[in-house]
Amino acid sequence: MRIDIVTLFPEIALAPLSESIIKRARDAGVVEVQAHQLRDWATDKHRKTDEYLCGGGQGMLLKPEPIFAAVEELRQESTRVLLMTPQGRPFKQADAVRFSREEHLIILCGHYEGVDHRVIEELVDEEISIGDYVLTNGAIAAAVVTDAIVRLLPGALGDARSPEDESFSDPHLLEAPAYTKPNNFRGMEVPGVLLSGDHGKIEAWKKKHALERTKTNRPDLLE
Ligand code: ADE
């Protein structure tokens, strides 16, 4: 799989993807991730990428010409184009799974007040938001989405770890609380059932507590 991120801040996009699991996946050739400087596709002598809003209004918008040029250059036969924007559809684990099956993604990152709408109408397959808050730029969101996708690719997590047994694999239930050694820490005990070796009882305990945690933290998942 290949992921091309187009942004005014390639270093912000790449920093979280250059450590640990995602770095190893990239080094192993599980995925090729590139972050491109949008300004490289600007044609005027000031390499301008933004403009004032038509019709007035606060802030600046990314101009269409450099974004069209970038996508036209990077696009392959089978490419899905995503735009990171708080105006997008909320990004879910199911989207990460779906995108992980694509051959090639181009992830466009918004900045300022966003992008000229002709980009969305002509080039973008999906507008994606990572949550109901506004970041300074979409490169952070692109790194989040890329991380969630790449860890799902075969070979990315290594043999011992599987992405299947975790929260949001079941989209209606969070994971149960988890404990490790020591069994007694400052008088706080690991629940006895988890040390019992009785797998039936352990599974029942996990299910009950997963449900309780979901009710407390994410009641919306149970609706
Ligand atoms: N750019 C700024 N805020 C964002 C968000 N919440 N999701 C995706 N892209 C963004």
Side-chain angles (χ1 to χ4, degrees):
M1 181 183 199
R2 180 184 168 96
I3 301 177
D4 287 297
I5 300 170
V6 179
T7 169
L8 289 169
F9 304 100
E11 287 176 15
I12 292 180
L14 282 183
L17 305 171
S18 303
E19 307 259 357
S20 182
I21 290 171
I22 307 300
K23 175 187 181 349
R24 284 199 294 277
R26 292 172 66 198
D27 290 348
V30 167
V31 63
E32 184 172 349
V33 181
Q34 299 267 354
H36 306 272
Q37 173 52 259
L38 176 63
R39 221 173 278 290
D40 291 346
W41 281 281
T43 48
D44 67 302
K45 72 170 191 259
H46 301 293
R47 301 210 304 157
K48 200 170 159 60
T49 53
D50 58 323
E51 251 319 334
Y52 294 102
L53 287 151
C54 292
Q58 286 232 323
M60 308 284 276
L61 217 56
L62 290 178
K63 289 158 63 63
E65 307 95 309
I67 302 181
F68 269 75
V71 170
E72 282 159 6
E73 185 175 327
L74 294 170
R75 182 167 248 160
Q76 299 176 2
E77 255 172 44
S78 166
T79 297
R80 196 150 189 87
V81 180
L82 311 181
L83 172 70
M84 295 297 117
T85 164
Q87 271 69 52
R89 228 171 19 79
F91 181 63
K92 296 278 162 59
Q93 185 66 18
D95 299 307
V97 170
R98 195 161 55 80
F99 296 148
S100 74
R101 296 181 182 137
E102 295 286 341
E103 257 169 56
H104 180 217
L105 296 173
I106 295 176
I107 305 184
L108 303 174
C109 302
H111 190 49
Y112 312 111
E113 297 307 305
V115 303
D116 184 286
H117 201 68
R118 288 165 290 191
V119 167
I120 295 165
E121 286 180 327
E122 282 294 310
L123 300 179
V124 170
D125 294 308
E126 294 184 47
E127 297 173 85
I128 301 288
S129 164
I130 63 162
D132 291 341
Y133 39 77
V134 182
L135 303 165
T136 54
N137 69 81
I140 299 168
V144 168
V145 166
T146 301
D147 181 287
I149 294 167
V150 171
R151 64 185 289 288
L152 295 173
L153 296 174
L157 293 187
D159 293 340
R161 305 163 72 169
S162 146
E164 270 141 39
D165 180 31
E166 61 188 4
S167 287
F168 301 114
S169 294
D170 177 351
H172 301 294
L173 217 52
L174 300 179
E175 272 185 68
Y179 298 85
T180 183
K181 291 185 168 79
N183 294 351
N184 181 325
F185 173 63
R186 299 185 178 177
M188 296 175 279
E189 300 271 4
V190 173
V193 58
L194 297 178
L195 307 170
S196 68
D198 182 333
H199 293 295
K201 278 197 184 144
I202 292 172
E203 279 317 304
W205 183 94
K206 281 190 183 171
K207 189 140 201 179
K208 173 167 178 266
H209 286 84
L211 193 59
E212 264 174 28
R213 201 179 209 183
T214 310
K215 272 186 197 153
T216 304
N217 292 346
R218 292 295 303 277
D220 57 298
L221 295 179
L222 298 169
E223 276 156 22

